[in-house]
Amino acid sequence: MTGFSKLHTAAGDTAVVGTQREVRPGEVLFGTTLVQPDLAMLSRRVTGRVHGIDPQLSPLTPLRRATLSMPNRFGLTLSAKTYCAKSRPLSDDERRSGPAVVSVKGRSRGPVNFDAEASFCLIDETGDGTFERAFIMGARGRDVAHDVPITPIGYTRLQNLTLPNRYLRLEYAGTGSVFGPVIRYKSNIDGVDKEAALFVYDDKGVLQLVDARKGIRGNTYPKVLDLGLVQITLLARDPETAAITYRVDRTFAFREVQINVSDGAYTTTYY
């Protein structure tokens, strides 16, 4: 997951509850710099293989803190910590790696046990600063869906690290043909600007989807909008200029979030 620095308005001022502003189509309501709340950097390269695959994890590979949806699957305690590398493409031989694989003329033959892309994850079972086990996120086969022991390896944690060239903003897109005002999230990753859907933990710790675009039906105001990272009230819309006036009700700085950036037929996820 990726955290946030404090939310700022387009003018650069920290968003303050009660602030009232007017924006026109194409203008920004809020912007923020992405912050990585918890990274692990290895003390050396991971030796050995995980289910027959070289994880290719070195001291230069940033590992991001992961929250497992089913920690009991690995028998982990509350003190355990899990970190995962960014997913990478697997070769055909790597995808067929596993206990049932056989070699035919130098090529692996067997069931496809892994997705086309997979992420290698390391587990610190006791929270003592040493990884002792590993698993592959992207496993399909039952025989490779479990964690395995590795040669223990130490790591250093980096917390609340500001990510270079990683930004997110909330923008007023104008008026849609079906809906009224349309507000959208857009990310800028290494200079590439795209609409972005968010997965955000709410106040109860439940992961919620926030669509990239939110259209507001009807012409009756005020309207309260919970947009995942901020809650605002739309106070009015000028029918001539299409400008909207809004008030800041709540801000959720440092909420953890996963950003999904749609690009044609596939989705790239930034953590």
Side-chain angles (χ1 to χ4, degrees):
M1 291 296 178
T2 300
F4 286 85
S5 61
K6 290 185 178 180
L7 291 168
H8 293 264
T9 65
D13 300 323
T14 302
V16 177
V17 172
T19 300
Q20 184 172 312
R21 295 182 64 240
E22 178 186 275
V23 290
R24 299 195 177 199
E27 294 183 341
V28 175
L29 284 75
F30 302 102
T32 186
T33 302
L34 300 179
V35 174
Q36 180 61 55
D38 198 345
L39 288 177
M41 304 301 292
L42 298 171
S43 61
R44 59 171 174 79
R45 185 179 181 84
V46 174
T47 57
R49 292 175 174 267
V50 180
H51 296 300
I53 304 176
D54 180 358
Q56 300 180 15
L57 302 179
S58 76
L60 298 178
T61 307
L63 303 175
R64 294 160 175 81
R65 182 73 180 270
T67 301
L68 300 181
S69 58
M70 295 184 295
N72 292 336
R73 169 181 162 191
F74 299 107
L76 300 179
T77 64
L78 293 177
S79 61
K81 294 179 174 62
T82 301
Y83 291 82
C84 297
K86 184 178 180 180
S87 61
R88 68 170 177 86
L90 299 182
S91 68
D92 184 66
D93 283 354
E94 288 177 321
R95 295 188 68 195
R96 296 177 186 278
S97 182
V101 70
V102 295
S103 180
V104 179
K105 294 182 179 181
R107 296 297 302 266
S108 298
R109 289 294 176 263
V112 175
N113 286 320
F114 299 97
D115 294 338
E117 290 194 2
S119 176
F120 291 82
C121 301
L122 304 180
I123 300 173
D124 177 354
E125 294 182 289
T126 60
D128 64 353
T130 302
F131 291 123
E132 304 93 359
R133 305 189 69 80
F135 66 95
I136 301 176
M137 190 179 300
R140 292 183 180 181
R142 180 179 300 177
D143 292 336
V144 295
H146 57 86
D147 60 319
V148 296
I150 60 172
T151 301
I153 179 172
Y155 66 93
T156 301
R157 292 177 67 188
L158 301 175
Q159 294 181 285
N160 296 325
L161 184 68
T162 299
L163 303 176
N165 303 317
R166 299 287 193 274
Y167 308 100
L168 184 72
R169 66 181 185 270
L170 184 63
E171 178 183 278
Y172 175 35
T175 302
S177 58
V178 177
F179 298 99
V182 176
I183 296 173
R184 64 184 177 185
Y185 276 109
K186 295 191 76 174
S187 67
N188 189 288
I189 309 295
D190 292 331
V192 180
D193 216 24
K194 295 180 181 178
E195 288 192 1
L198 311 178
F199 286 94
V200 181
Y201 283 102
D202 65 14
D203 294 336
K204 296 181 180 179
V206 179
L207 197 62
Q208 301 285 350
L209 170 65
V210 180
D211 291 329
R213 283 178 171 244
K214 185 175 184 65
I216 298 92
R217 294 180 180 272
N219 295 313
T220 303
Y221 297 94
K223 295 181 184 295
V224 178
L225 305 177
D226 186 342
L227 301 167
L229 300 180
V230 293
Q231 179 179 301
I232 65 173
T233 296
L234 288 186
L235 301 172
R237 175 180 173 274
D238 188 319
E240 294 186 4
T241 65
I244 57 172
T245 302
Y246 70 94
R247 181 185 66 238
V248 180
D249 296 329
R250 296 180 68 189
T251 63
F252 305 105
F254 295 103
R255 269 192 169 181
E256 288 189 308
V257 65
Q258 174 178 312
I259 306 172
N260 288 341
V261 182
S262 179
D263 184 15
Y266 64 92
T267 297
T268 304
T269 302
Y270 299 95
Y271 295 95

